[in-house]
Structure formats: structure tokens, C-alpha cells
């Protein structure tokens, strides 16, 4: 099965290679992602996030899902010394950096619960994979038609934060200014909840964020800094062809 739909502002591609009928599971995946978009988008004025941001909803009254997301946001704000912050002065509450990875990871869990064992779910370039190995390309930060690396992913997730799609949109909460120390940063972790949040949080920290992300258990990093220097942790799962195998 292979399906592509546009959800949450980007294309989401689902591929399931198992035998059997997984159309209903696919329906559940895309229904869940559309529900997340309606509930948690800061760009929809009637979403739970927007109502909380305007003070129309008290924090004790938020849903369990949003409470979980906000707790994750606070965890990464503390872990980065305030570099990652979804409550920047003068800006609306925007937990998208956590919501995306968390929601897509949960979608992958819906697939697994339905019996899927070999699948890949790609949400705007951030990927959850199972039953691989799958080859995942990482876009070059300066050339849209080139890749800067290809990795092999069996069971896990990969997320990239960069400046090429939306410009300098990631803000260092410590300074209130755009984070410009890196061109791109790719994180591999067991779940997309972690990979996506760590990639954004580390990018917000700038060059120091590479070492911070690499210090986390089970996390591997590939980064290109502002001087075009590549930093790659020893365990980053580069595909065999790139290693010369």
C-alpha cells in the first residue's frame, strides 16, 4: 500500500510492504493526523492550542494529549537552558516542533497495532520506519536537488531541522534571535517524538547543540554548521554505499 496526503501543511507519505489489506489502518493514520492539525495547530484560531494561547482556556483544563505535549516542551526548554522555547515573547504559543514528531510517532503505533511490520511513514521529510532496512536521504542544506547523506534505518526515526524550507524560523529563546549557527541538523532516535524535538532543540542552540544532542542516550547526529563543516557521530547509520561497502 502506498498513499500520500497533504496534512498539517506538508505531504505525508505512507508505504506498507506487508501482505494483507491495510487500507483501514491507513485511514486511521490520516484521520488521526487531521485531528491533530485541527486540535493543535497554532494557525487555526479555534484549535485548542490557539485558545490556550489567547487565555480562553486555562492550563488545568487542557486535554491529556496537549498536557503531554506541553510537558515535553518544558522538558526541552529546561534541557537546552531556554534555547528551545514554545512561548517566545511577542509570539503565539507554538508547540509544532513537538506536536509533529509526537503525532506521527503515534500514527506509526497505530500501524503497528494493526499488524503492520514493514512500513515507512514520511511526514515532510521526517521519517518513522519499521522492518527495514530503509534508505533515507537527507537533503543538502543549500542545493535542493542534492543529498548530503543517505542513511539506513531499520526500526526507528529520523528528523532534520534546517533553514532551507522556512528560512531562519527557529529562534534561540535565550536571545530572541534566529538560530544561525547551523545549516542543518539531522537526528536519529528510537522514536520520532524524540528525534524531531531534539533536532529542533539542538538547532536552536546553534553549534553547541550538536554536542548536546550527541550526548543523549540512543541519539545519533549528522550536522552541517554555518561554515559548511560536517559533524557526524560515530554511530550515525550511514548507508552502506556511502561507507564504500
Amino acid at each position: 500500500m502506498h498513499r500520500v496526503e497533504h496534512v498539517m501543511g506538508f505531504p505525508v507519505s505512507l508505504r506498507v510492504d506487508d501482505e494483507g489489506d491495510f487500507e483501514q489502518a491507513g485511514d486511521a493514520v490520516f484521520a488521526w493526523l487531521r485531528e491533530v492539525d485541527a486540535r493543535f495547530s497554532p494557525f487555526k484560531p479555534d484549535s485548542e492550542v490557539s485558545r490556550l494561547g489567547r487565555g480562553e482556556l486555562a492550563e488545568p483544563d487542557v486535554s491529556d494529549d496537549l498536557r503531554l505535549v506541553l510537558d515535553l516542551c518544558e522538558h526541552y526548554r529546561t534541557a537546552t537552558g531556554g534555547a528551545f522555547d514554545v512561548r517566545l515573547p511577542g509570539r503565539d504559543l507554538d508547540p509544532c516542533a513537538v506536536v509533529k514528531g509526537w503525532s506521527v510517532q503515534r500514527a506509526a503505533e497505530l500501524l503497528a497495532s494493526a499488524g503492520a511490520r514493514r512500513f515507512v511513514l514520511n511526514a515532510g521529510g521526517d521519517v518513522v520506519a519499521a522492518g527495514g532496512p530503509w534508505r533515507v536521504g537527507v537533503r543538502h542544506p543549500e542545493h535542493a536537488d542534492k543529498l548530503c547523506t543517505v542513511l539506513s534505518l531499520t526500526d526507528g526515526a529520523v528528523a532534520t531541522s534546517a533553514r532551507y524550507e522556512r528560512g531562519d524560523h527557529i529562534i534561540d529563546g535565550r536571545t530572541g534571535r534566529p538560530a544561525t549557527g547551523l545549516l542543518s541538523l539531522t537526528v536519529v532516535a528510537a522514536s520520532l517524538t524524540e528525534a524531531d524535538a531534539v533536532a529542533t532543540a539542538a538547532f536552536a542552540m546553534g553549534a553547541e547543540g550538536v554536542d548536546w544532542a550527541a550526548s543523549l542516550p540512543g541519539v545519533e547526529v549528522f550536522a552541517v554548521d554555518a561554515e559548511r563543516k560536517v559533524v557526524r557521530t560515530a554511530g550515525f547509520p550511514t548507508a552502506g554505499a556511502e561507507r564504500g561497502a
Side-chain angles (χ1 to χ4, degrees), residues 82-133:
F84 176 88
D85 197 340
V86 300
R87 301 176 185 270
L88 294 166
R91 291 174 176 254
D92 295 333
L93 171 66
D94 184 358
C96 287
V98 168
V99 168
K100 181 184 179 185
W102 164 78
S103 62
V104 176
Q105 180 63 41
R106 185 172 288 189
E109 291 163 5
L110 290 173
L111 290 168
S113 296
R117 295 293 176 263
R118 177 171 168 78
F119 63 84
V120 61
L121 184 58
N122 183 332
D126 295 338
V127 174
V128 182

Side-chain angles (χ1 to χ4, degrees), residues 181-198:
L182 300 171
L183 293 183
S184 70
L185 185 144
T186 298
V187 169
V188 175
S191 77
L192 193 58
T193 304
E194 181 175 27
D196 199 20
V198 168

